[in-house]
Amino acid sequence: MELLRPSSVSEIPSNSLLLAGGTEVVPLLQDGLLSAATLVDVRGVVPRGVSGNVIGAGTTLGELEVQPGIPDALREACRLAASPQLRNMSSLGGNLLQATRCWYWRLDYPCRLHGGDRCHAREGEHREHAIFANDFCASAHPSDIAAALVALGARLRTNRRELAVEELYRLPDESDRRTTTLEDGELILEVELPAVDASVYLKAMNRKRWSFPQVGVAVARIGGETRIALAGVAPIPWRIDGIEALDTATPLPRTEWKLPLARALVNRALASLG
Amino acid sequence: MARLIRTEKEVEGRYEEVWLVVEEDPLEQWPAGPREIVGRPATRKSGPARVRGEVRFTADLKLPGMLQAVVLRSPYAHARVKTIDLAPALALPGVRAAIGPGEASGLEEEIGYSGAAVAAVAADTFRQARAAIEAIEIEWEELEIVLDADEAVRREQFTAPPRQYERGDVDKALAEADVVVEATYRTQSVLHNSMETHQAICEWTGDILNVYISTQFIWGVRDAVAETLEMPPDKVRVVCEFMGGGFGSKNGPDEYTFVAAELAKRTGRPVRCALTRREESTAAGNRNATIQRLRAGARSDGTIVALDGEFTNAVGWSGWNASTEGPMKMLYDCENVRTVTYGAKINTPPMKAFRAPGFVEGTFGLECLVDELAAKLDMDPLELRRRNYAATNEGTPISSKELEECYRRAEPHWERRHEVRSRSDAVWKRGVGMASQIWYGGGGPPSYAWVRIGSDGRATVITAMQDIGTGTRTAMAQIAAEELRLPLDKVDVVLGDSARGPYASISAGSSTLPSMGPAVRAAAADAREQVEDIAEQRGMPRDAPVHEVVDLLEDAQILGKGARGPNPTGMSVLTFGVHVVEVAVDVETGEVVVDRVAAIHDVGRIVNPLGASSQVEGGVIQGIGHTLSEDRLLDPETGRVLTSTLDSYRMPTIADVPEIVCEFVDKPDTHLTNLGSKGLGEPPIVPIAAAIANAIRDATGADIYELPISREEMLRALERAKEKERRGAPAAV
Amino acid sequence: MSEIRLTVNGEEHILDAAVGTSLASVLRDRLGLTGTKIACAEGHCGACTVQIDGVPRLSCITLAHTVDGEVTTIEGLRDHPLVEAFVRTDAVQCGFCTPGQVVSAAALVAANPEPTREEIRHAMAGNICRCGTYPKIEEAILTWQD
């Protein structure tokens, strides 16, 4: 394995494995779930820091946690994510691209996301898994920040295109098992936020800190519009129009409990914004 | 004059008879109350070195030429190895030796749980060893898997014959009772997850096998290794000076030690075999899950007349049948008690002792049941417990029992419940719950210590015990210093090497202090007597300061020796306590927050109040983990462990810690040794789950029947409470 | 194999290591600095915490070849007043997690010399202690200047 530390996008070879903070990629490499001949440390390429309403994708969660000028939902999502050490290491861009915590995926079962033909969680142990869009794959998306950015209506700029953050994600299906739409060699460079009136992020965990969301609810008020997005309830960050969308959830027998939890948090989040 | 006697020794509720060589022990206990050093807070002797990271754990040891061993573990929960070919592994770079089933103790051909050890490889680096393991070719024959404990009981698949107990006539008493409650409680499998994983380094020097191991029982490892390898015990040297936690899981050598020993023999080099964190969840033991089907009957005046329990321990492929029924038999004065305990043999990782095995699970079931009884009787839970106070242990006198004093000290904490409840609002319901604790903790013989004093007036306590982080090293120094009338900083303690000291007890079952402490005191007393004799010969007063008496010794030394005497005959040695817990429950989201724990314990004389409070806090916090967030989950299809990482197996962080108020009765057990101290390692974890569950009932009216109390379980319980109200039955309050 | 230059506790080291080697294993196996412990090797427990330019990070999942900045391990903090505070308050039991605790705590008090209990809990939540020494660790950090 070789390591490259380029200073421009053009120096990044194709078919290489990109990492910034490495908090997802390095353990997966050590574990054999990822392998690469070439590792590329992109921290010299990806912008870092906050400038007005543009955040460099290389900014760490730890930096955003104490950043005064960003929307509350984003700051809170960063503050409650992971552990202090992980926040110091993780980049905003990397966090958006993290894989599910589903134990079957993490233990390399031949599940759908690994290219296989079953969802072991659906038939097996799924108590931490999805309540929406869980027919093909029942994994839950673990990123607090992704939910916050979806609710905030953020846009991403990569080295190839501009897109709404929601367009970064896709549900896996029979022909394509990926949960993101990034192409090989495509790099998230910046996140752009609209002007936000108010926002909030509420997170339910199963210990007080250092835990992925059981359910995370991000709500933002932008202009006259209220946008809601959930973490931990679907294979990708899940946008809902209103609380009644929870009536269309399709919980599994052991994810039923996430429904009253989600309802309570959505109600509280809406109430807190007045 | 030495005498040979037969006496009883207890570890974790299991009694055995041992032969003991005793000297006359004229030492009287110190009177109650803090002394010059014993009974006063002392910081840890090894503190600065530990905090600075300067001490070496087994994980830090590097022997010249050391190889790394990796174990091949079965992915199947039940299978037989049909064929195995180690040659492809041996062909890989850096690989020095490979062994298969039967070539070391613990490498099996028929395996009964996912993660069981089958083969092992030693290589220059860990990476090479891991690659070699993957190259081994195995043909498996998969066998039927049974994962359900009730199913195993139906099939009569037991790890040992079921254990039955009866006193009185339970059916008659239940029929005549004014009030009967019945409930089924379930507790989950919990992992020790000590911070230092299980590991050993084995090195042969001539015909001596040196075993450097992270262990709770140096002498047990020595004897087990010697027996298995058919060697004289003194040819096995076991070393453990610092170890990173055990909690019961490191009481023996296990397969990694035998693998390391065999590979070291074959290669002629030291071999380290260390479990990875992932392997800790399959191969390092666990507190087994239980199903407890319980009934209790009482008269309307609160007398508990009947207790009936069917306990199913999901032991695993092997392991012992823990005494989940113990609290039911022992805690209350009840004439009619019947228990049957099944050890279900299932294809899951074998249990290992985990901090008060059986009693943690059983106290949860019993103490929740007692509170249900209190609710039905419309009686205060503390009052109900007091009314059924047991003066003896099923007729056997108890050497010391201060549970009533614990109840008395619990009163002001219990009183707070009115104020706590009044702070409830529409979302957050607040309440207070309590639970009693009974456990062992008397330790026993044999245990020995030596004390050496040189002309510099310093004393060294020489032992071959281990300190697993409980601060026993410092307690031994305090005891010796007190007895020798020396300042604490003039006393050192040597431990951790079976070649350099006499037999020491296990550090499990809350037995280090009550076993080693009296031996250290006896050794110090022996040395003190010699010092006093010399003082007299020099025309000094007998109690002249040690350094003045011995200053002429030059190379001569004073050597004192001491042994742990017998346990009181015809008496049970037990520990007692009470926890009073305040919780807040978010009834919309199912979040449970523990706000405050008052932990009151009777463990005889407290040697080091500072270290003792750390034990209580540690036990409470570990207990909160298994009550609220820890759960070892298995894939129901394959029996493989799913929660094998520390982000999926969630232990408490510093953010989860409640206010903990710690009180000790601190009354010496006047029947127990020259010290009067009982062990404290386990008592603090025993009652916490029940106290939390009872507090939840107090706050919300919801009954908890299952651990962990996840949000899912809490929301389910709240729903059940609402349903009960709808149906007109009053929710228990 | 390629070359790494590391400054650890003020001392510069130049060594060859395969890409993929973690900072933790370089510290422990190559530089003999065994104060930094590995308890999970995958970034979940905090035992391997070191500071890089004063910021707490997990050395077990930090690739040694990507380290820019000065590394401070527990060995570099041996004279920090926190050490004495930990001993005084008995904020150590088995001691395996303790170096990581001290490294995280030292970073906290460098930025915030008088943290509140809430701030301590938030900053130290990534250092797992199975022995449950947390109340005493909190006490040590509250009183480190005493």
Side-chain angles (χ1 to χ4, degrees):
Chain A
M1 204 161 53
E2 62 163 344
L3 176 77
L4 301 177
R5 309 188 74 190
S7 42
S8 77
V9 177
S10 56
E11 296 170 53
I12 302 175
S14 59
N15 291 323
S16 55
L17 186 55
L18 312 184
L19 79 160
T23 56
E24 176 78 304
V25 168
V26 172
L28 291 177
L29 265 174
Q30 290 170 339
D31 212 19
L33 257 68
L34 283 177
S35 62
T38 308
L39 279 180
V40 180
D41 178 356
V42 297
R43 286 176 299 169
V45 174
V46 176
R48 183 169 169 173
V50 180
S51 173
N53 64 337
V54 175
I55 307 175
T59 315
T60 70
L61 303 189
E63 285 160 355
L64 290 174
E65 182 187 344
V66 295
Q67 185 75 24
I70 58 174
D72 290 339
L74 177 58
R75 192 182 325 102
E76 187 68 357
C78 291
R79 192 180 79 91
L80 293 177
S83 70
Q85 296 93 322
L86 288 169
R87 292 196 293 274
N88 289 334
M89 298 162 75
S90 322
S91 67
L92 179 55
N95 182 282
L96 296 179
L97 297 172
Q98 69 180 292
T100 180
R101 307 313 296 185
C102 170
W103 28 61
Y104 293 105
W105 188 87
R106 293 260 156 193
L107 292 171
D108 211 12
Y109 277 65
C111 72
R112 292 224 163 95
L113 292 186
H114 279 307
D117 59 8
R118 39 186 298 219
C119 173
H120 299 76
R122 274 197 70 90
E123 306 149 33
E125 184 51 73
H126 57 242
R127 68 186 73 182
E128 294 186 359
H129 290 61
I131 55 173
F132 287 105
N134 51 8
D135 215 57
F136 188 73
C137 167
S139 68
H141 201 267
S143 170
D144 305 295
I145 283 80
L149 290 180
V150 168
L152 290 167
R155 292 188 65 77
L156 306 178
R157 184 171 75 77
T158 75
N159 57 326
R160 304 252 172 91
R161 55 182 166 142
E162 264 192 44
L163 62 159
V165 69
E166 281 145 283
E167 290 162 13
L168 177 63
Y169 298 103
R170 62 181 302 284
L171 286 170
D173 57 55
E174 192 59 51
S175 57
D176 185 350
R177 306 301 168 92
R178 295 176 303 158
T179 52
T180 67
T181 62
L182 273 193
E183 291 146 28
D184 176 44
E186 188 175 11
L187 199 53
I188 302 175
L189 296 175
E190 283 173 346
V191 175
E192 187 182 334
L193 295 167
V196 173
D197 299 332
S199 67
V200 66
Y201 185 67
L202 298 179
K203 179 177 182 179
M205 292 180 264
N206 104 330
R207 57 183 175 188
K208 265 247 162 80
R209 283 291 185 278
W210 181 196
S211 193
F212 292 90
Q214 293 175 304
V215 173
V217 172
V219 179
R221 192 131 316 138
I222 301 172
E225 199 197 350
T226 300
R227 294 170 60 95
I228 308 171
L230 274 55
V233 302
I236 58 177
W238 200 249
R239 174 122 186 264
I240 58 173
D241 290 326
I243 196 165
E244 52 298 329
L246 292 171
D247 298 335
T248 68
T250 55
L252 302 170
R254 292 295 299 265
T255 61
E256 291 264 359
W257 63 276
K258 288 200 178 189
L259 265 174
L261 177 56
R263 274 206 182 88
L265 292 183
V266 170
N267 276 326
R268 288 180 193 182
L270 290 170
S272 78
L273 292 185
Chain B
M1 155 140 176
R3 281 188 306 126
L4 184 65
I5 65 168
R6 198 110 165 104
T7 183
E8 224 177 34
K9 169 190 169 150
E10 168 272 316
V11 178
E12 281 161 1
R14 290 179 296 176
Y15 284 90
E16 61 182 27
E17 293 232 304
V18 294
W19 285 105
L20 183 64
V21 179
V22 288
E23 308 278 335
E24 297 307 325
D25 184 351
L27 273 182
E28 275 185 22
Q29 284 188 3
W30 295 306
R35 321 270 314 148
E36 289 291 315
I37 298 172
V38 164
R40 297 200 185 273
T43 60
R44 286 173 205 242
K45 290 220 141 241
S46 62
R50 263 184 226 253
V51 175
R52 291 194 170 110
E54 288 167 2
V55 305
R56 290 195 192 275
F57 296 80
T58 308
D60 300 321
L61 297 179
K62 217 165 146 184
L63 274 60
M66 189 171 77
L67 299 173
Q68 306 288 340
V70 172
V71 175
L72 173 70
R73 297 185 181 278
S74 164
Y76 301 108
H78 196 195
R80 192 174 298 124
V81 175
K82 275 179 23 192
T83 67
I84 179 168
D85 188 4
L86 302 173
L90 286 163
L92 289 179
V95 176
R96 305 294 167 193
I99 50 181
E103 294 190 289
S105 172
L107 297 181
E108 302 290 339
E109 202 173 273
E110 181 182 343
I111 55 88
Y113 63 97
S114 175
V118 174
V121 164
D124 292 344
T125 70
F126 179 76
R127 252 213 183 110
Q128 287 169 333
R130 220 165 83 164
I133 288 296
E134 270 150 46
I136 294 175
E137 283 168 18
I138 302 194
E139 243 185 281
W140 293 97
E141 179 194 344
E142 286 181 63
L143 303 169
E144 189 197 8
I145 301 175
V146 177
L147 298 175
D148 183 69
D150 281 339
E151 176 60 28
V153 171
R154 265 192 294 278
R155 296 187 189 197
E156 294 188 12
Q157 255 172 239
F158 302 125
T159 53
R163 193 167 53 230
Q164 285 171 311
Y165 170 85
E166 187 155 7
R167 67 177 186 251
D169 184 340
V170 166
D171 291 322
K172 180 163 178 285
L174 279 172
E176 293 171 1
D178 294 322
V179 155
V180 173
V181 291
E182 182 172 347
T184 298
Y185 297 91
R186 288 167 201 275
T187 66
Q188 81 285 42
S189 177
V190 169
L191 300 171
H192 307 71
N193 264 325
S194 314
M195 294 305 282
E196 185 190 21
T197 64
H198 288 65
Q199 53 197 278
I201 302 171
C202 286
E203 180 184 32
W204 293 87
T205 49
D207 62 351
I208 306 262
L209 173 60
N210 301 278
V211 180
Y212 302 87
I213 180 174
S214 181
T215 187
Q216 298 176 237
F217 195 11
I218 285 174
W219 290 83
V221 169
R222 186 194 82 132
D223 293 345
V225 169
E227 190 180 318
T228 303
L229 298 186
E230 292 173 349
M231 295 168 62
D234 274 338
K235 297 288 187 186
V236 178
R237 174 179 167 234
V238 178
V239 177
C240 176
E241 203 184 347
F242 296 95
M243 63 88 85
F247 313 110
S249 67
K250 293 179 179 171
N251 292 348
D254 299 331
E255 88 286 349
Y256 54 88
T257 307
F258 293 110
V259 159
E262 182 59 29
L263 290 169
K265 195 170 205 182
R266 292 188 185 210
T267 59
R269 291 164 67 169
V271 174
R272 171 202 300 285
C273 187
L275 265 58
T276 62
R277 180 56 52 187
R278 306 261 178 124
E279 287 172 298
E280 288 286 308
S281 63
T282 57
N286 58 85
R287 184 190 295 281
N288 57 254
T290 71
I291 305 167
Q292 306 172 40
R293 297 172 167 102
L294 311 180
R295 285 190 296 173
R299 285 202 283 266
S300 47
D301 69 355
T303 310
I304 300 175
V305 295
L307 288 168
D308 189 16
E310 185 191 287
F311 301 88
T312 301
N313 291 329
V315 173
W317 184 240
S318 60
W320 46 281
N321 198 5
S323 185
T324 315
E325 77 276 16
M328 176 171 275
K329 287 165 60 182
M330 294 163 62
L331 188 47
Y332 295 111
D333 179 25
C334 176
E335 285 180 6
N336 309 288
V337 178
R338 179 175 59 204
T339 69
V340 60
T341 309
Y342 301 112
K345 187 178 169 90
I346 51 179
N347 297 111
T348 63
M351 64 78 79
K352 273 203 186 143
F354 190 162
R355 220 164 178 173
F359 273 56
V360 165
E361 305 91 291
T363 300
F364 168 66
L366 178 71
E367 288 294 272
C368 286
L369 189 73
V370 165
D371 257 38
E372 271 207 50
L373 200 55
K376 218 160 177 184
L377 289 166
D378 198 20
M379 182 173 287
D380 176 271
L382 177 55
E383 181 55 35
L384 178 60
R385 287 171 168 85
R386 276 174 141 149
R387 290 219 183 155
N388 292 279
Y389 196 86
T392 66
N393 180 24
E394 303 175 60
T396 305
I398 301 171
S399 62
S400 84
K401 178 171 184 173
E402 295 293 326
L403 183 56
E404 180 48 54
E405 176 62 18
C406 292
Y407 286 148
R408 198 188 64 76
R409 298 206 194 183
E411 282 167 10
H413 303 287
W414 186 237
E415 249 325 283
R416 290 166 58 107
R417 67 196 182 287
H418 310 290
E419 189 274 332
V420 169
R421 289 171 189 159
S422 74
R423 282 186 283 114
S424 300
D425 58 41
V427 168
W428 286 99
K429 302 296 179 198
R430 295 167 188 280
V432 177
M434 64 164 295
S436 313
Q437 171 256 316
I438 187 170
W439 178 241
Y440 303 95
S447 268
Y448 308 95
W450 301 324
V451 169
R452 180 181 74 198
I453 302 177
S455 61
D456 60 355
R458 294 185 65 89
T460 303
V461 180
I462 298 174
T463 75
M465 66 185 239
Q466 58 283 316
D467 176 343
I468 61 172
T470 54
T472 43
R473 178 202 301 259
T474 302
M476 299 308 146
Q478 286 176 273
I479 291 166
E482 183 73 44
E483 187 60 39
L484 290 165
R485 293 190 298 263
L486 276 175
L488 192 52
D489 62 4
K490 290 259 194 292
V491 178
D492 297 307
V493 175
V494 165
L495 54 77
D497 189 336
S498 66
R500 299 187 188 161
Y503 184 92
S505 75
I506 192 175
S507 290
S510 308
S511 50
T512 312
L513 185 60
S515 302
M516 280 300 297
V520 168
R521 185 173 176 217
D526 182 14
R528 175 180 51 70
E529 283 245 357
Q530 295 178 54
V531 170
E532 288 173 355
D533 288 346
I534 294 173
E536 210 175 295
Q537 290 171 58
R538 292 186 68 181
M540 295 166 153
R542 278 183 78 82
D543 63 356
V546 170
H547 71 274
E548 285 175 22
V549 177
V550 302
D551 64 359
L552 49 47
L553 278 183
E554 289 177 16
D555 290 340
Q557 294 179 334
I558 310 279
L559 299 174
K561 70 179 174 91
R564 166 53 149 94
N567 276 333
T569 33
M571 281 185 168
S572 298
V573 180
L574 300 167
T575 56
F576 299 92
V578 176
H579 284 187
V580 179
V581 173
E582 298 174 15
V583 305
V585 180
D586 180 329
V587 297
E588 291 176 1
T589 67
E591 184 182 358
V592 175
V593 175
V594 179
D595 281 328
R596 186 181 192 271
V597 174
I600 302 155
H601 287 280
D602 157 36
V603 291
R605 171 190 292 282
I606 299 290
V607 170
N608 185 353
L610 182 58
S613 69
S614 298
Q615 277 304 291
V616 172
E617 288 161 357
V620 164
I621 290 166
Q622 214 174 57
I624 287 173
H626 80 240
T627 305
L628 296 182
S629 62
E630 294 179 36
D631 205 348
R632 186 228 51 202
L633 298 176
L634 301 175
D635 172 37
E637 185 183 324
T638 61
R640 289 178 64 187
V641 175
L642 295 174
T643 51
S644 58
T645 61
L646 293 182
D647 70 320
S648 57
Y649 185 85
R650 283 178 286 266
M651 308 187 292
T653 73
I654 193 172
D656 299 295
V657 174
E659 181 192 347
I660 302 175
V661 173
C662 173
E663 287 183 40
F664 296 108
V665 173
D666 199 5
K667 195 155 160 263
D669 180 334
T670 53
H671 294 284
L672 184 66
T673 73
N674 59 35
L675 204 55
S677 299
K678 300 183 272 195
L680 177 57
E682 291 157 305
I685 199 176
V686 170
I688 185 77
I692 290 172
N694 290 338
I696 289 173
R697 178 191 294 104
D698 188 58
T700 63
D703 300 310
I704 297 292
Y705 294 113
E706 205 165 309
L707 294 183
I709 311 172
S710 61
R711 287 188 195 243
E712 183 183 17
E713 170 62 15
M714 190 65 247
L715 289 167
R716 221 178 3 220
L718 287 165
E719 196 47 50
R720 279 196 303 262
K722 258 191 266 177
E723 190 49 47
K724 237 165 126 179
E725 248 186 85
R726 268 197 292 268
R727 279 188 282 112
V733 146
Chain C
M1 278 301 209
S2 70
E3 187 185 274
I4 318 173
R5 284 170 183 263
L6 281 176
T7 305
V8 181
N9 301 328
E11 265 183 47
E12 198 183 320
H13 301 272
I14 303 173
L15 43 99
D16 272 320
V19 168
T21 309
S22 71
L23 176 59
S25 69
V26 167
L27 293 170
R28 288 176 53 79
D29 302 332
R30 306 291 295 274
L31 302 182
L33 297 169
T34 56
T36 303
K37 306 300 178 199
I38 298 176
C40 78
E42 43 191 352
H44 297 152
C45 74
C48 70
T49 305
V50 299
Q51 294 177 9
I52 300 182
D53 286 341
V55 175
R57 304 163 71 96
L58 302 167
S59 61
C60 74
I61 56 170
T62 298
L63 297 180
H65 291 75
T66 65
V67 176
D68 302 314
E70 308 216 344
V71 180
T72 305
T73 69
I74 183 66
E75 287 87 352
L77 294 169
R78 66 186 313 280
D79 296 322
H80 197 291
L82 270 169
V83 169
E84 200 256 296
F86 268 62
V87 175
R88 169 176 41 81
T89 56
D90 205 43
V92 56
Q93 292 187 47
C94 82
F96 204 76
C97 78
T98 315
Q101 305 277 0
V102 173
V103 170
S104 287
L108 168 63
V109 301
N112 181 359
E114 291 181 18
T116 62
R117 281 188 198 275
E118 270 313 304
E119 287 168 335
I120 292 171
R121 285 163 181 241
H122 185 68
M124 301 295 294
N127 288 85
I128 305 290
C129 169
R130 193 42 162 164
C131 297
T133 308
Y134 301 128
K136 302 264 166 48
I137 292 172
E138 189 176 274
E139 191 60 32
I141 299 171
L142 281 169
T143 63
W144 73 280
Q145 291 175 313
D146 290 3

